[in-house]
Amino acid sequence: MNHLYQPTHPDSLLQADWLALHEHMPPAKWGSLPSFSGAAIWLGMHHSLRKGQNELDYLNRQMLEQQLDWSDYQQRVLQAAWMHHGHLEGHHRYEDHSCFPRLLKLAPQLGKGFDLLEHDHELVAECVSLTRSLLNTVKHSTEPQLDLVERLHTAVQTQGTLLYRHLADEEDLVIPVLALHAYTTCMIE
């Protein structure tokens, strides 16, 4: 194993030996993948998930800075969360039940890495559950509650910290497999 290959996220939970495929498909090459490839589609999905997470963080900061009125905040944060969480849960369900099993057949040496990713999905789901509970309180509040927004902001930041590390770890494992095998089956079935 060439130890030159390190995870892209500074807080990664990946082991260095799981990155052996980076020798053939390092992160520096990912931007040049064909836009129709499974790897590029995967990266696009992750970009969208990061954008959704950023939107939740932004809306909470705007409310805490009193840049939004309560009803506008409620409408925007509830809509953004509904869309983001639905996308996130659907993406993770699809990965766990369809993509990861297929990718594992192509790269069985990454089994422990895929187990880690599936465990991350459970942790993200717990964060989403807490966030939803707070969002439900926001939904039913008729008056501005900045203490509630602060708690929601903290929950969203915790969710984001986990999600951003998870997405980077997932890309470090999955993108080389998809790119090197020109594998698109899990993206279209």
Side-chain angles (χ1 to χ4, degrees):
M1 165 67 197
N2 185 337
H3 291 286
L4 292 175
Y5 303 104
Q6 297 297 318
T8 56
H9 196 280
D11 298 323
S12 175
L13 300 180
L14 299 179
Q15 295 178 11
D17 61 330
W18 297 345
L19 303 176
L21 295 176
H22 281 210
E23 184 172 352
H24 306 288
M25 180 51 65
K29 288 186 175 182
W30 297 354
S32 64
L33 292 166
S35 62
F36 55 83
S37 70
I41 292 168
W42 201 289
L43 289 169
M45 285 288 183
H46 282 194
H47 173 76
S48 177
L49 290 169
R50 287 179 178 100
K51 186 175 179 180
Q53 187 67 38
N54 287 338
E55 179 70 10
L56 294 178
D57 185 56
Y58 171 77
L59 290 170
N60 285 312
R61 283 186 284 111
Q62 288 292 102
M63 186 63 205
L64 290 171
E65 295 169 6
Q66 299 181 358
Q67 301 295 314
L68 296 171
D69 66 45
W70 185 249
S71 63
D72 188 39
Y73 167 74
Q74 284 176 302
Q75 184 268 326
R76 291 176 65 189
V77 77
L78 292 170
Q79 181 181 23
W82 181 78
M83 292 184 344
H84 175 58
H85 291 153
H87 181 197
L88 182 61
E89 290 171 335
H91 182 70
H92 285 174
R93 190 170 37 256
Y94 186 59
E95 289 172 342
D96 289 344
H97 299 292
S98 184
C99 292
F100 289 173
R102 293 175 186 175
L103 293 171
L104 189 55
K105 289 179 183 176
L106 294 172
Q109 72 276 20
L110 300 179
K112 289 183 181 179
F114 285 110
D115 290 344
L116 171 74
L117 297 177
E118 289 180 2
H119 179 68
D120 280 352
H121 290 174
E122 294 169 9
L123 297 176
V124 169
E126 290 173 12
C127 287
V128 168
S129 179
L130 172 61
T131 301
R132 279 194 174 137
S133 174
L134 292 166
L135 286 163
N136 190 48
T137 305
V138 167
K139 179 180 179 178
H140 297 290
S141 298
T142 57
E143 297 294 325
Q145 295 186 36
L146 293 182
D147 62 319
L148 172 59
V149 177
E150 184 64 47
R151 291 194 322 262
L152 179 57
H153 183 57
T154 299
V156 165
Q157 287 182 316
T158 300
Q159 176 182 307
T161 298
L162 172 59
L163 181 62
Y164 298 137
R165 194 266 311 147
H166 165 73
L167 294 174
D169 281 358
E170 189 171 286
E171 290 164 3
D172 279 342
L173 287 183
V174 169
I175 299 305
V177 176
L178 288 173
L180 293 170
H181 292 279
Y183 188 67
T184 58
T185 304
C186 79
M187 305 309 291
I188 59 176
E189 286 187 6

